Amino acid sequence: MQKYDHIPRATIQRLATYMQVLETMKKDNIKITSSEPLATACDVNASQVRKDLAYFGEFGVRGVGYYVDYLLDAIKDCLHANREWRTALIGVGNLGRALLNHQEFNRRGIRIVGAFDCDPFKIGEVAYGLEIFCSKRLQEKVPELGIELGIITTPPERAQRAADQLIEAGVKGILNFSSARIVTPNHVYIEYVDFFHQIYSLTFNISTKN
Amino acid sequence: MQKYDHIPRATIQRLATYMQVLETMKKDNIKITSSEPLATACDVNASQVRKDLAYFGEFGVRGVGYYVDYLLDAIKDCLHANREWRTALIGVGNLGRALLNHQEFNRRGIRIVGAFDCDPFKIGEVAYGLEIFCSKRLQEKVPELGIELGIITTPPERAQRAADQLIEAGVKGILNFSSARIVTPNHVYIEYVDFFHQIYSLTFNISTKN
């Protein structure tokens, strides 16, 4: 158990946004910041930011603010975003290919080192430098390639099977882009990327607040 | 102002998940359900589900449960997910193309009717049935095509300009897939799709809880 084990989910998500804002500042050569720009980016108030940052000690310097570099490193440490995570992608369709070619993954240490599909026409093909393997070979490839995370980009009806194969092969966390809900054992973490949540926030707000 | 104007953001996101679960039930010909499966899907307790559903009146039938069809229609009404939303996509790279070909948009009434890019080599090309227009033509095309939403899939450094063009042309809401934070006026809603939030939830949980 580490010291950060009770950070709420909503805080984790804000930390990820703070990280993004701080990275932009670092690129722009800004050395010191305050809670306000971080608050604005997350649509919360400054006291919420201070509370979030208090989870891992006091980084603010009274009368000065936060040191961008120091805070950025602390957040990365906390989220374990400062190391490489070897990752498998299952489902090499349009979305899968777009993700295989998405530079942001590599830049952030998410290294997709294996691509899998169950379509015999795709198996053996090379997509963005990766040979596509049959999903049945996850069992062998996950330990061989040191894979810890899985990304599912299959059609919804194949998502549970893909998850089962990933879990059996030993991955610890799954990012699911398909629209299917997936059942996992307690020791395997699952996260959903479903941008219809965001779309419905838009359609709701546009329709009720204008 | 409508009756649903004070639903919190977290509730909206759960409603979107309930909708997904109920749609699966409907497909499986399940007529009646309870708060439990909805609670499980959102990782909340049943009383939270009942509280969420209470925002738009009482749908539960004592001793029976919820009628799947009726509840699904009520949630769709609430989120304004029961009509077509004409949408522009800006940035026809890998991710943009994957989204243009993503069947789920059409199925959910998000109709991408215009594709835009600023790369002269792409302008005029046809991608999934849509001619790619120069982004400068948004001003003319948004009203002509009755576009209300914009999807940004440009590189981060071009995202703000794409947003400005969409806003000037009159869109009411923007879904941003680029990693850049974007500034919009108050009357234009913006949502971010940043799956690194989810990835960092995974890396945090794997590292701290195992």
Side-chain angles (χ1 to χ4, degrees):
Chain A
M1 283 297 213
Q2 299 185 18
K3 54 182 171 169
Y4 312 128
D5 56 345
H6 290 306
I7 303 186
R9 189 185 167 77
T11 305
I12 299 291
Q13 305 229 331
R14 282 194 299 273
L15 289 177
T17 304
Y18 300 158
M19 204 169 117
Q20 199 177 20
V21 175
L22 292 165
E23 279 175 339
T24 308
M25 288 177 177
K26 188 176 174 172
K27 214 161 45 184
D28 293 345
N29 225 3
I30 297 170
K31 301 285 183 206
I32 289 172
T33 186
S34 68
S35 39
E36 277 75 22
L38 302 177
T40 305
C42 285
D43 208 10
V44 293
N45 56 38
S47 77
Q48 179 67 63
V49 174
R50 287 190 290 268
K51 204 177 138 193
D52 289 344
L53 300 183
Y55 274 101
F56 33 93
E58 185 50 73
F59 293 97
V61 180
R62 198 174 293 272
V64 174
Y66 295 96
Y67 290 107
V68 170
D69 264 3
Y70 188 61
L71 187 52
L72 186 56
D73 284 347
I75 294 177
K76 281 188 177 174
D77 263 7
C78 168
L79 298 179
H80 296 261
N82 49 2
R83 71 160 175 99
E84 186 177 284
W85 290 85
R86 294 170 72 84
T87 304
L89 180 138
I90 320 215
V92 193
N94 269 284
L95 182 62
R97 280 172 211 269
L99 295 183
L100 284 178
N101 190 38
H102 193 42
Q103 306 308 321
E104 202 70 6
F105 280 115
N106 261 323
R107 216 176 62 68
R108 292 184 175 270
I110 307 299
R111 276 204 57 204
I112 304 179
V113 293
F116 299 84
D117 204 290
C118 61
D119 176 351
F121 289 101
K122 288 181 187 162
I123 294 164
E125 187 195 314
V126 175
Y128 299 105
L130 291 177
E131 182 183 341
I132 301 172
F133 293 115
C134 171
S135 307
K136 288 180 184 154
R137 294 185 65 190
L138 275 161
Q139 192 77 38
E140 148 208 356
K141 287 291 175 188
V142 163
E144 183 187 314
L145 299 172
I147 289 168
E148 295 175 279
L149 298 178
I151 294 175
I152 296 180
T153 43
T154 64
E157 60 275 17
R158 294 202 204 113
Q160 182 68 54
R161 194 176 63 185
D164 293 343
Q165 289 170 322
L166 282 165
I167 294 163
E168 252 177 77
V171 305
K172 299 168 186 168
I174 295 173
L175 187 67
N176 175 28
F177 281 83
S178 88
S179 63
R181 305 302 299 179
I182 284 177
V183 183
T184 61
N186 278 336
H187 67 282
V188 178
Y189 296 94
I190 176 136
E191 290 283 336
Y192 294 86
V193 179
D194 182 354
F195 38 81
F196 286 96
H197 289 199
Q198 276 97 346
I199 289 180
Y200 294 135
S201 262
L202 289 177
T203 58
F204 174 80
N205 282 319
I206 291 171
S207 307
T208 55
K209 296 189 182 154
N210 285 330
Chain B
M1 283 298 213
Q2 299 186 19
K3 55 181 170 170
Y4 310 129
D5 55 347
H6 291 306
I7 303 185
R9 191 185 164 77
T11 305
I12 298 290
Q13 304 229 333
R14 282 195 297 275
L15 289 177
T17 303
Y18 300 157
M19 204 170 117
Q20 200 178 18
V21 175
L22 292 166
E23 277 176 341
T24 308
M25 288 179 178
K26 187 175 175 173
K27 212 160 48 182
D28 294 345
N29 224 2
I30 296 169
K31 301 286 185 205
I32 289 172
T33 187
S34 69
S35 39
E36 277 76 21
L38 302 178
T40 306
C42 286
D43 209 10
V44 293
N45 57 37
S47 78
Q48 179 67 63
V49 173
R50 287 190 290 268
K51 203 177 138 192
D52 288 344
L53 301 183
Y55 274 102
F56 34 91
E58 186 50 77
F59 293 97
V61 181
R62 198 174 291 274
V64 175
Y66 295 95
Y67 290 106
V68 171
D69 265 4
Y70 189 60
L71 187 52
L72 186 55
D73 285 346
I75 293 176
K76 282 188 176 173
D77 262 7
C78 168
L79 298 179
H80 296 263
N82 51 1
R83 72 158 172 98
E84 188 177 285
W85 289 84
R86 295 170 73 85
T87 303
L89 181 138
I90 320 217
V92 193
N94 268 284
L95 182 61
R97 279 173 212 269
L99 295 183
L100 285 177
N101 190 37
H102 193 42
Q103 305 308 319
E104 202 70 5
F105 280 115
N106 260 324
R107 218 178 61 67
R108 294 184 174 269
I110 307 299
R111 277 203 59 203
I112 304 180
V113 293
F116 299 84
D117 205 289
C118 63
D119 177 350
F121 288 100
K122 289 182 187 160
I123 294 165
E125 188 196 313
V126 175
Y128 299 106
L130 290 178
E131 182 183 343
I132 302 173
F133 294 114
C134 171
S135 306
K136 288 182 185 153
R137 293 184 66 190
L138 275 162
Q139 192 77 37
E140 148 209 354
K141 287 290 177 188
V142 163
E144 183 186 315
L145 299 170
I147 289 168
E148 293 173 281
L149 298 178
I151 295 175
I152 295 179
T153 45
T154 63
E157 61 275 17
R158 293 203 205 113
Q160 181 69 54
R161 195 177 62 185
D164 293 342
Q165 289 170 321
L166 282 165
I167 294 163
E168 250 177 78
V171 305
K172 299 168 187 168
I174 294 173
L175 189 66
N176 176 28
F177 281 82
S178 89
S179 63
R181 306 301 300 178
I182 284 176
V183 182
T184 61
N186 278 335
H187 67 281
V188 178
Y189 296 95
I190 176 132
E191 291 283 336
Y192 294 84
V193 178
D194 182 353
F195 39 82
F196 286 95
H197 289 199
Q198 277 97 347
I199 289 180
Y200 294 135
S201 262
L202 290 177
T203 58
F204 174 81
N205 281 319
I206 291 171
S207 307
T208 55
K209 297 191 181 154
N210 283 330

